[in-house]
Amino acid sequence: MRPVSYSRATDVGAAIGAVSADPESAFLAGGTTQVDLLRIYVEQPRRLVDINDLPLNRIEELPGGGLRLGGLARMSDVAEEPELVRRYPMVAEALLLGASPQLRHMATIAGNLMQRVRCSYFRDVAAGCNKRAPGTGCSAIDGINRGHAVLGTSDCCIATHPSDLGVALVALDAVVQTEGPGGTRSIPIDDFFLLPGQTPEREHPLTHGELVTGIDLPPLPVAATSRYIKIRDRESYEFALASVAVAMSVVDDRITEIRLALGGVATKPWRARQAERLLDGAPATTESFTRAAEAELAPAVPHGMNTFKIELARRTIVRALEIMAQREGTT
């Protein structure tokens, strides 16, 4: 492993200045993914700036409602925050269904959103991977791709985004707060995750040295009746094959508000907007749920081993909506 220099920062401005001044430097927080990538030579920064002492770990009320999750808040602390559990249960469930208890105690909220893909070809420096080494091809397209994406793919990359939390945040229209050399920014969460297109190496719109300082959850009454459903090969410490974040309101057996996002099947946390359009105002029935799921997945592009994901995602969407309908007393 390449020698890496290390320093600690206690001031946000100083941390940003240190990293932005050196193109071969990077922030270090929980390090639960980053250290692995250093060990296998996928990432080789010259300098790491430890930001764990920055005052960015609080969970705060926002004016007008909503919550701000500090970028350095630990996953475990956020998942157990009583107000978050009450007002945004899908977020708490997504956090608890991710990683292991040990990792959740170390991993940060911002780090979860910034984590790199788990594609085996991305993590094998001898394999072609446009995300790691642009122009070398995507070995997964004709390779071992059971866990890869069927939505949002391109001929350059089919890697699945690994975040559970990101799926819930996309469903809620969260906003990512950043600070960098150019000042502060507020980035809608759906714009924070980029589709691979022809530039899969670019996963976020952040500039070098720009730091995620917080994530804002908007005041959404419907979020109090929400769930995160995750399907995986084993019950714990496993990434999603398909997942659904859903918040739904039903009045007189018709859907009056719906928020739906998918994980495990796309190259970014996937807002199911086509399904939402079909469900808005529709009867809260299995037939409606099935039609919406099929429409959302119509553009899916399978690659051999991951063909099963289309049907799995359809069933997961329908099941999640049925669970919500039962809670609303319509089925």
Side-chain angles (χ1 to χ4, degrees), residues 5-227:
S5 65
Y6 170 88
S7 62
R8 295 183 72 93
T10 57
D11 176 77
V12 173
I16 292 169
V19 172
S20 60
D22 182 356
E24 293 189 74
S25 64
F27 298 115
L28 174 67
T32 55
T33 297
Q34 193 172 25
V35 172
D36 288 343
L37 297 178
L38 288 169
R39 288 171 174 164
I40 58 178
Y41 305 104
V42 171
E43 292 188 357
Q44 298 187 64
R46 181 171 60 189
R47 180 185 184 190
L48 291 175
V49 178
D50 190 323
I51 58 173
N52 284 290
D53 292 335
L54 301 185
L56 299 174
N57 63 348
R58 293 186 290 271
I59 302 171
E60 302 171 304
E61 291 282 347
L62 290 172
L67 288 177
R68 172 167 293 174
L69 312 179
L72 292 178
R74 304 296 163 173
M75 290 174 61
S76 56
D77 292 335
V78 176
E80 295 170 0
E81 167 61 36
E83 279 302 298
L84 181 119
V85 173
R86 183 178 68 84
R87 290 152 60 180
Y88 307 95
M90 68 159 68
V91 175
E93 290 176 356
L95 288 167
L96 292 172
L97 289 172
S100 65
Q102 294 90 341
L103 289 173
R104 291 195 295 270
H105 282 301
M106 294 181 62
T108 65
I109 294 298
N112 182 277
L113 302 187
M114 297 290 293
Q115 66 180 299
R116 308 302 302 275
V117 299
R118 295 315 194 276
C119 173
S120 60
Y121 300 106
F122 170 75
R123 290 168 175 258
D124 179 0
V125 294
C129 172
N130 290 316
K131 188 178 287 292
R132 174 176 36 78
T136 59
C138 176
S139 298
I141 289 177
D142 296 314
I144 299 172
N145 52 36
R146 178 176 180 270
H148 286 68
V150 295
L151 291 170
T153 60
S154 72
D155 59 358
C156 290
C157 183
I158 62 170
T160 307
H161 196 279
S163 176
D164 292 300
L165 172 63
V167 180
L169 297 181
V170 164
L172 296 171
D173 286 321
V175 177
V176 178
Q177 303 296 337
T178 72
E179 185 173 344
T184 60
R185 287 201 289 168
S186 298
I187 305 172
I189 189 73
D190 206 20
D191 296 333
F192 182 78
F193 299 109
L194 303 180
L195 290 171
Q198 298 303 301
T199 55
E201 73 278 7
R202 192 160 186 258
E203 299 174 339
H204 309 284
L206 303 183
T207 59
H208 183 68
E210 190 170 6
L211 179 66
V212 175
T213 57
I215 296 92
D216 291 356
L217 303 179
L220 292 171
V222 72
T225 54
S226 65
R227 289 293 309 274

Side-chain angles (χ1 to χ4, degrees), residues 253-270:
D253 295 334
R254 286 192 174 270
I255 299 169
T256 57
E257 188 170 358
I258 179 70
R259 289 174 171 271
L260 191 67
L262 310 180
V265 294
T267 54
K268 60 180 280 184
W270 190 264

Side-chain angles (χ1 to χ4, degrees), residues 306-326:
N306 69 356
T307 301
F308 76 98
K309 280 196 170 191
I310 298 175
E311 176 62 16
L312 181 64
R314 184 192 70 81
R315 295 187 185 195
T316 307
I317 293 170
V318 172
R319 181 57 183 149
L321 292 168
E322 287 177 338
I323 290 171
M324 294 305 299
Q326 289 167 4

